[in-house]
């Protein structure tokens, strides 16, 4: 049936639903001040301490700024992202669903 074939095609590729929330995980290698906006809402503003991790969800995009860009590690839907800036410098990044897809939108 068409329904089962569509489902089986979806199981072996990691696709992110076009709608619905996606997830950001932030870990800190050392204490740093971080601000996180999910869509239009500020969902976190404060210090993330060494070894802590925080998880946020958004529908459209995240904006993250960190006092020490090298101290934070970001994962978007389980995919580890590149550092948002050099250690000891302020870093800022906007993440969308497309950030996960990699170059050219293909894996």
């Amino acid at each position: 049936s068409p329904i089962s074939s569509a489902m089986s095609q979806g199981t072996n590729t990691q696709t992110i639903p076009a709608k619905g929330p996606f997830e950001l995980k932030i870990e800190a290698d050392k204490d740093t001040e971080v601000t996180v906006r999910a869509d239009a809402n500020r969902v976190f503003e404060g210090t993330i301490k060494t070894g802590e991790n925080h998880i946020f969800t958004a529908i459209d995009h995240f904006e993250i700024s960190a006092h020490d860009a090298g101290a934070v590690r970001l994962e978007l839907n389980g995919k580890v992202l590149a550092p948002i800036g050099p250690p000891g410098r302020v870093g800022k990044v906007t993440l969308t669903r497309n950030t996960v897809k990699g170059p050219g939108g293909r894996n």
Side-chain angles (χ1 to χ4, degrees):
S1 71
I3 295 170
S4 63
S5 67
M7 282 178 67
S8 64
Q9 283 175 350
T11 51
N12 57 5
T13 52
Q14 272 196 310
T15 53
I16 296 147
K19 291 275 181 280
F22 58 115
E23 189 176 272
L24 170 72
K25 182 168 133 182
I26 302 181
E27 291 183 53
D29 289 335
K30 42 184 205 227
D31 295 10
T32 186
E33 285 177 46
V34 177
T35 302
V36 181
R37 294 174 73 92
D39 303 323
N41 307 310
R42 186 173 294 179
V43 292
F44 183 87
E45 185 172 17
T47 300
I48 295 183
K49 294 187 166 34
T50 309
E52 278 187 358
N53 64 67
H54 294 257
I55 291 177
F56 306 98
T57 55
I59 301 293
D60 184 63
H61 68 280
F62 289 104
E63 285 176 49
I64 302 104
S65 59
H67 204 70
D68 183 344
V72 291
R73 285 192 303 220
L74 306 180
E75 276 181 36
L76 195 62
N77 278 1
K79 178 174 175 173
V80 179
L81 303 179
I84 63 173
R89 306 283 291 276
V90 173
K92 191 170 183 184
V93 67
T94 299
L95 303 175
T96 67
R97 200 179 298 278
N98 293 331
T99 307
V100 182
K101 288 184 182 161
R106 285 197 293 269
N107 291 337

